[in-house]
């Protein structure tokens, strides 16, 4: 049994435990129960409470004595007697079951809706009658006062089958293209159907007329929800005469009062998965809403989460055992889930011993792998030389490999590698030698950065270990072994500057203690260079003397702080005097600036004229450029004007050579203005 807790609510999983392979015979299973202690101690509340592959739906009869479940493969229905804690009967069906309904108090009248449009009736003795509906069905409900079955599915019509007359009646015509779910209120008989357009249509069976429409798709969209498609109705449930819960395909649950067209509360599962089922728990005013991943239990007035249940496998259906704290789930796995929550209510009468067991149970790890069998792949068989066993009873094919007896696996592995025991023995000897070495006095390996700080931390750790051995106090974690402070002893940027003003003011007593640590650092460096196995004890005073000196120094810390401040003030004065001397010795020299390439210096007057030219309009600038001959205007074939700028040539004498620059912004510059013409 596995115990989990959320919001201080304990949930006991009664279906956990060591699972056995299905191919084992009953005789081998009984033998395993005798030999294996884990198999013998596991709690099997109901014997064989599982399906061959997958369980699709699960329900409890009205008298609470029988649990019926449908599953695949092959399609079947199983009935469990809770008073006997075992399987009562099993019936195989022709096709898979979409949903079913128990019409009587016990299992004597059952109606199955199949995925091939067939409706199958079963009595206490077995199969009774089969009929067919025009369209594929998705859900149905039974109206007890009129003995009518209402079927909804891939059609806009709601088909009615009267069981008293044994014939179909006129269907109800809805405005929807398709209908997903339906439910009938047991108090006043109101029939409601959830459509694919996200609406709920309510009908009165007495007059066969629609009495109301709720637009749930529009109301389910909130500011926090992210919706990529149109929400459709995936779950519907009445509670009492006026309450109704609606689940959408986008993961929202809406609580309605039938007197209002707006929801009282909108609860989002935050998974974006369709809501599979909705149930009401009246004793604590809770709502149990489930999608394929999680079962959430929350308060129907405030929406506050009470607790949640998240199985290993995806959920197909959830059933709340009436007047108890037991929840049954149909999963995408052979095992059906049984969960007991003592806060919701007491255990059922047929398993009242659970109340005593839950007080003594402890959490046990769940084993999902078969402990008596080893899973091997084809490559493993080739390495072991057992490929000839494929197809024999020694190997059971499963997924992409095989299951084989673990005793056979170990025996063959020893034969293939006979020296495995010697390697194991050497490893054990090596481990023992390392343990003895750890007990010896080891050299202190200091990091490259902040060696003095590391040495200080090591000494403090040794003192803490001594105090914990004497006083039996819990030791705190060390900074040297903490990964968060790893960079402080590796990156040189984090080196502590002992000459800084802050360090000297905050640590006035470090000067004397640091001298002792520097001596130890020198000794440690010598030991590392020599790499001697025996550690030499550093000369100096004993630890008691050091502690007494440190305590005396701590008393005079005020004087030390004053000394440090005086020294700092003297150093600042010396720095100021040196700065003044340097300023007096420096002689100001003319500085030359280099003109950037691509610009040509002509004169200051030209820059002034250029500035005036920039202030003029475009028309004036074009006229001036036309006078100088740098602008030509011509007509194009299209009819527009074309402007062409011709650049002036500048003669420049550099030394005795003449250079012609085609652009006024040449990279070459004249040295003096006398050489420019």
């Amino acid at each position: 049994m596995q115990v989990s807790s959320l919001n201080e609510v304990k949930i006991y999983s009664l279906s956990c435990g060591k699972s056995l392979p299905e191919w084992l015979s009953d005789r081998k299973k009984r033998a395993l129960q005798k030999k294996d202690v884990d198999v013998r101690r596991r709690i099997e509340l109901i014997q064989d409470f599982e399906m061959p592959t997958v369980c699709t739906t699960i329900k409890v009869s009205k008298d609470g004595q029988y649990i019926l479940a449908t599953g695949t493969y092959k399609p079947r229905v199983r009935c469990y007697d809770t008073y006997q804690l075992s399987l009562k009967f099993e019936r195989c069906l022709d096709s898979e079951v979409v949903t079913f309904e128990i019409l009587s108090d016990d299992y004597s009248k059952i109606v199955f809706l199949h995925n091939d449009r067939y409706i199958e009736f079963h009595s206490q003795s077995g199969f009774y009658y089969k009929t067919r509906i025009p369209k594929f069905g998705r859900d149905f409900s039974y109206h007890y006062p009129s003995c009518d079955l209402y079927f909804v599915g891939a059609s806009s019509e709601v088909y009615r089958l009267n069981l008293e007359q044994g014939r179909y009646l006129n269907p109800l015509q809805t405005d929807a293209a398709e209908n997903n779910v339906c439910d009938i209120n047991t108090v006043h008989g109101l029939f409601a159907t959830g459509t694919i357009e996200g609406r709920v249509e309510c009908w009165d069976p007495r007059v066969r007329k629609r009495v109301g429409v709720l637009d749930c798709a529009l109301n389910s969209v909130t500011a926090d929800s992210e919706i990529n498609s149109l929400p459709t109705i995936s779950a519907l449930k009445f509670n009492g005469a006026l309450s109704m819960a609606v689940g959408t395909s986008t993961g929202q649950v809406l609580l309605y009062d039938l007197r209002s067209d707006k929801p009282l509360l909108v609860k989002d599962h935050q998974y974006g998965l369709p809501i599979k089922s909705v149930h009401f728990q009246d004793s604590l005013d809770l709502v149990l809403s489930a999608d394929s991943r999680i079962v959430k239990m929350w308060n129907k007035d405030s929406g506050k989460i009470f607790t949640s249940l998240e199985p290993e496998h995806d959920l197909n259906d959830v059933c709340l055992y009436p007047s108890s704290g037991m929840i049954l789930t149909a999963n995408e796995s052979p095992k059906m889930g049984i969960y007991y929550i003592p806060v919701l209510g007491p255990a059922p009468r047929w398993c009242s011993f659970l109340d005593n067991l839950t007080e003594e149970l402890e959490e046990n790890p769940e084993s999902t792998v078969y402990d008596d069998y080893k899973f091997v792949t084809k490559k493993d068989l080739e390495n072991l030389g057992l490929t000839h066993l494929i197809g024999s009873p020694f190997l059971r094919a499963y997924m992409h490999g095989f299951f084989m007896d673990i005793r056979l696996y170990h025996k063959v592995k020893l034969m293939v590698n006979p020296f495995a025991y010697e390697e194991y023995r050497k490893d054990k000897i090596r481990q023992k030698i390392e343990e003895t070495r750890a007990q010896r006095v080891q050299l202190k390996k200091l990091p490259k950065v902040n060696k003095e700080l590391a040495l200080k931390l090591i000494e403090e750790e040794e003192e803490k270990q001594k105090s914990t051995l004497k006083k039996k106090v819990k030791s705190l974690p060390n900074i040297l072994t903490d990964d968060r402070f790893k960079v402080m002893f590796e990156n040189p940027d984090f080196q502590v500057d002992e000459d800084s003003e802050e360090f000297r003011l905050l640590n006035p007593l470090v000067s004397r203690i640091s001298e002792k640590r520097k001596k130890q650092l020198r000794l440690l460096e010598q030991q590392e260079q020599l790499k001697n196995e025996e550690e030499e004890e550093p000369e100096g005073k004993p630890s008691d003397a050091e502690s007494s000196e440190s305590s005396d120094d701590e008393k005079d810390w005020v004087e030390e702080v004053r000394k440090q401040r005086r020294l700092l003030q003297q150093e600042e004065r010396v720095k100021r005097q040196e700065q003044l001397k340097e300023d007096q010795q420096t002689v100001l020299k003319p500085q030359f600036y280099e003109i950037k390439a691509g610009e040509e210096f002509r004169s200051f007057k030209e820059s002034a004229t250029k500035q005036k030219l920039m202030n003029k309009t475009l028309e004036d600038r074009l006229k001036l450029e036309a006078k100088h001959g740098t602008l030509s205007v011509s007509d194009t074939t299209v009819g527009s004007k074309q402007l062409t700028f011709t650049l002036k040539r500048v003669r420049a004498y550099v030394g005795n050579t003449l250079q012609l620059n085609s652009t006024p912004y040449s990279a070459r510059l004249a040295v003096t203005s006398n050489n420019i013409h």
Side-chain angles (χ1 to χ4, degrees):
M1 183 179 290
Q2 186 179 7
V3 184
S4 60
S5 179
L6 182 66
N7 291 341
E8 298 182 357
V9 178
K10 287 191 175 182
I11 302 173
Y12 297 90
S13 178
L14 306 178
S15 57
C16 292
K18 187 177 178 182
S19 56
L20 298 175
E22 293 182 6
W23 62 76
L24 291 180
S25 61
D26 295 337
R27 185 177 179 182
K28 289 186 177 180
K29 287 181 180 179
R30 287 194 296 269
L32 276 174
Q33 288 179 356
K34 293 179 181 178
K35 295 179 182 178
D36 199 341
V37 181
D38 295 333
V39 177
R40 198 185 314 127
R41 287 182 178 177
R42 67 173 181 168
I43 297 176
E44 194 173 8
L45 193 62
I46 301 175
Q47 188 178 0
D48 297 331
F49 195 68
E50 59 186 13
M51 286 287 173
T53 52
V54 173
C55 181
T56 55
T57 54
I58 186 168
K59 292 183 185 296
V60 180
S61 62
K62 294 177 183 178
D63 58 2
Q65 184 177 354
Y66 302 100
I67 301 173
L68 283 90
T70 60
T72 58
Y73 171 80
K74 298 177 181 181
R76 68 190 68 205
V77 57
R78 287 184 173 179
C79 179
Y80 297 89
D81 192 348
T82 57
Y83 291 173
Q84 302 296 328
L85 299 178
S86 62
L87 178 67
K88 186 172 183 63
F89 66 84
E90 179 184 11
R91 296 172 188 170
C92 289
L93 307 172
D94 296 333
S95 58
E96 294 184 9
V97 177
V98 178
T99 184
F100 71 96
E101 189 74 26
I102 306 171
L103 304 183
S104 60
D105 293 338
D106 54 3
Y107 67 93
S108 58
K109 293 179 184 179
I110 312 171
V111 183
F112 296 96
L113 175 62
H114 294 272
N115 61 355
D116 57 353
R117 296 194 289 127
Y118 274 104
I119 301 165
E120 196 168 325
F121 296 85
H122 282 236
S123 64
Q124 191 171 3
S125 58
F127 170 77
Y128 181 76
Y129 183 75
K130 181 188 288 188
T131 185
R132 206 171 190 183
I133 56 177
K135 299 289 183 179
F136 290 95
R138 295 175 182 172
D139 196 8
F140 72 95
S141 297
Y142 180 63
H143 188 245
Y144 283 88
S146 61
C147 296
D148 287 341
L149 283 172
Y150 290 80
F151 295 94
V152 296
S155 174
S156 61
E157 297 179 340
V158 179
Y159 304 110
R160 295 192 301 152
L161 176 61
N162 188 274
L163 301 184
E164 185 178 9
Q165 301 177 19
R167 65 186 182 91
Y168 283 100
L169 303 178
N170 293 330
L172 303 178
Q173 184 64 42
T174 63
D175 293 338
E178 295 178 1
N179 296 282
N180 291 332
V181 291
C182 64
D183 194 21
I184 292 179
N185 195 307
T186 56
V187 179
H188 46 68
L190 184 68
F191 172 75
T193 173
T195 65
I196 199 172
E197 290 86 2
R199 297 177 181 175
V200 175
E201 296 187 8
C202 299
W203 296 74
D204 190 354
R206 298 172 296 179
V207 295
R208 298 185 298 278
K209 289 183 180 180
R210 186 171 55 201
V211 294
V213 177
L214 294 175
D215 192 356
C216 301
L218 184 62
N219 294 324
S220 64
V221 179
T222 58
D224 300 331
S225 60
E226 296 180 2
I227 296 173
N228 299 323
S229 61
L230 179 67
T232 61
I233 307 302
S234 59
L236 191 63
K237 188 71 174 179
F238 281 102
N239 180 37
L242 299 175
S243 298
M244 181 179 65
V246 179
T248 63
S249 60
T250 53
Q252 289 87 22
V253 181
L254 295 84
L255 288 181
Y256 280 92
D257 191 313
L258 295 181
R259 295 168 290 185
S260 174
D261 59 346
K262 293 182 180 179
L264 301 174
L265 182 68
V266 178
K267 183 67 178 177
D268 196 346
H269 270 221
Q270 303 293 336
Y271 283 108
L273 300 173
I275 302 297
K276 295 277 188 179
S277 64
V278 180
H279 296 277
F280 288 88
Q281 213 278 342
D282 296 326
S283 61
L284 296 177
D285 292 333
L286 298 178
V287 178
L288 280 72
S289 55
D291 56 20
S292 59
R293 186 178 295 181
I294 193 170
V295 180
K296 287 193 174 183
M297 307 171 202
W298 42 279
N299 192 291
K300 67 179 182 180
D301 296 326
S302 61
K304 186 179 179 181
I305 286 290
F306 179 72
T307 186
S308 62
L309 175 64
E310 193 168 1
E312 288 185 10
H313 306 280
D314 291 345
L315 292 167
N316 289 328
D317 194 13
V318 176
C319 177
L320 179 63
Y321 198 93
S323 303
S324 71
M326 183 173 287
I327 297 174
L328 308 173
T329 61
N331 309 320
E332 285 285 331
S333 64
K335 272 194 173 184
M336 292 179 280
I338 305 176
Y339 299 92
Y340 177 52
I341 306 174
V343 181
L344 295 181
R349 292 179 59 188
W350 51 273
C351 57
S352 57
F353 54 87
L354 283 178
D355 292 327
N356 298 327
L357 279 176
T358 50
E359 297 177 0
E360 303 174 359
L361 288 176
E362 294 180 357
E363 185 177 357
N364 295 321
E366 181 184 0
S367 59
T368 55
V369 181
Y370 303 134
D371 296 337
D372 298 332
Y373 291 85
K374 174 71 175 176
F375 180 79
V376 292
T377 60
K378 195 171 182 180
K379 190 176 181 180
D380 296 336
L381 293 176
E382 291 176 358
N383 296 334
L384 296 173
L386 298 177
T387 53
H388 62 282
L389 294 179
I390 297 176
S392 64
F394 294 100
L395 296 177
R396 295 282 183 175
Y398 183 77
M399 300 289 285
H400 58 281
F402 306 91
F403 274 113
M404 66 181 300
D405 197 313
I406 196 166
R407 294 171 294 179
L408 177 63
Y409 174 79
H410 288 311
K411 194 177 291 186
V412 175
K413 193 174 181 182
L414 286 174
M415 293 172 64
V416 172
N417 189 7
F419 301 103
Y421 176 73
E422 294 181 2
E423 294 177 359
Y424 171 76
R425 185 169 172 271
K426 289 179 181 179
D427 291 337
K428 282 291 183 184
I429 293 171
R430 194 181 298 110
Q431 289 178 5
K432 289 184 178 180
I433 291 172
E434 289 176 357
E435 288 176 0
T436 54
R437 283 177 180 173
Q439 296 175 359
R440 297 178 186 175
V441 178
Q442 297 180 353
L443 291 174
K444 299 174 183 177
K445 294 183 180 180
L446 299 176
K448 296 180 181 179
V449 182
N450 291 326
K451 290 185 178 180
E452 294 187 4
L453 178 62
L455 184 61
K456 177 185 176 183
L457 293 172
I458 291 171
E459 291 176 355
E460 290 177 355
E461 186 67 22
E462 290 176 354
E463 292 177 0
K464 285 180 183 178
Q465 289 179 358
K466 292 177 182 178
S467 62
T468 51
L469 291 173
K470 293 179 180 178
K471 301 179 181 179
K472 296 182 179 180
V473 182
K474 291 184 179 179
S475 61
L476 298 173
N478 193 5
I479 297 177
L480 290 170
T481 58
D482 198 338
D483 294 335
R484 296 175 294 176
F485 305 98
K486 188 178 180 181
V487 186
M488 192 170 66
F489 301 100
E490 294 178 355
N491 193 347
D493 295 337
F494 292 95
Q495 178 66 42
V496 177
D497 187 9
E498 297 182 359
D499 298 329
S500 63
E501 181 180 353
E502 294 82 2
F503 182 83
R504 293 170 66 177
L505 289 175
L506 292 173
N507 300 281
L509 302 176
V510 173
S511 56
R512 295 184 182 181
I513 301 171
S514 61
E515 292 177 359
K516 301 171 186 176
R517 290 205 182 94
K518 284 178 182 177
K519 291 180 182 179
Q520 292 182 0
L521 283 171
R522 291 169 191 167
L523 291 172
L524 289 171
E525 288 176 359
Q526 292 176 2
Q527 291 174 359
E528 288 178 358
Q529 290 175 0
L530 297 173
K531 294 182 180 178
N532 294 328
E533 294 182 358
E534 297 179 358
E535 183 181 4
E536 296 180 359
E537 294 183 359
E539 297 179 358
K541 297 179 182 179
S543 59
D544 296 335
E546 291 176 4
S547 61
S548 62
E549 286 181 6
S550 63
S551 62
D552 295 336
D553 293 337
E554 288 175 358
K555 293 178 182 178
D556 302 332
W557 66 274
V558 178
E559 296 178 1
E560 291 290 337
V561 170
R562 290 175 180 173
K563 288 181 182 178
Q564 292 293 334
R565 285 182 178 173
R566 290 170 189 168
L567 290 171
L568 288 171
Q569 290 175 359
Q570 291 176 3
E571 289 177 0
E572 287 180 359
R573 291 173 186 171
V574 172
K575 286 181 181 178
R576 289 174 185 173
Q577 292 175 1
E578 291 177 355
Q579 187 68 27
L580 288 172
K581 289 180 182 179
E582 289 179 359
D583 294 341
Q584 292 174 0
Q585 291 176 0
T586 54
V587 180
L588 296 175
K589 296 180 180 180
Q591 296 181 356
F592 296 93
Y593 297 95
E594 185 178 356
I595 300 176
K596 294 182 180 179
E599 298 181 0
E600 186 175 358
F601 179 78
R602 292 179 183 176
S603 64
F604 293 104
K605 293 181 180 180
E606 187 176 352
S607 62
T609 56
K610 191 174 181 181
Q611 186 67 27
K612 291 179 181 179
L613 186 63
M614 291 299 293
N615 294 331
K616 292 184 179 182
T617 60
L618 177 63
E619 183 180 1
D620 297 337
R621 280 184 282 171
L622 291 174
K623 287 178 181 179
L624 289 172
E625 289 177 355
K627 285 181 181 181
H628 294 296
T630 59
L631 176 67
S632 63
V633 182
S634 60
D635 295 332
T636 60
T637 57
V638 185
S640 61
K641 297 290 185 179
Q642 181 178 0
L643 300 178
T644 306
F645 296 88
T646 59
L647 305 176
K648 293 190 297 183
R649 293 177 175 271
V650 179
R651 292 183 180 182
Y653 287 94
V654 180
N656 296 324
T657 60
L658 174 64
Q659 294 182 352
L660 296 177
N661 298 332
S662 60
T663 62
Y665 303 101
S666 175
R668 298 188 180 93
L669 299 175
V671 180
T672 60
S673 62
N674 297 327
N675 294 332
I676 299 175
H677 299 283

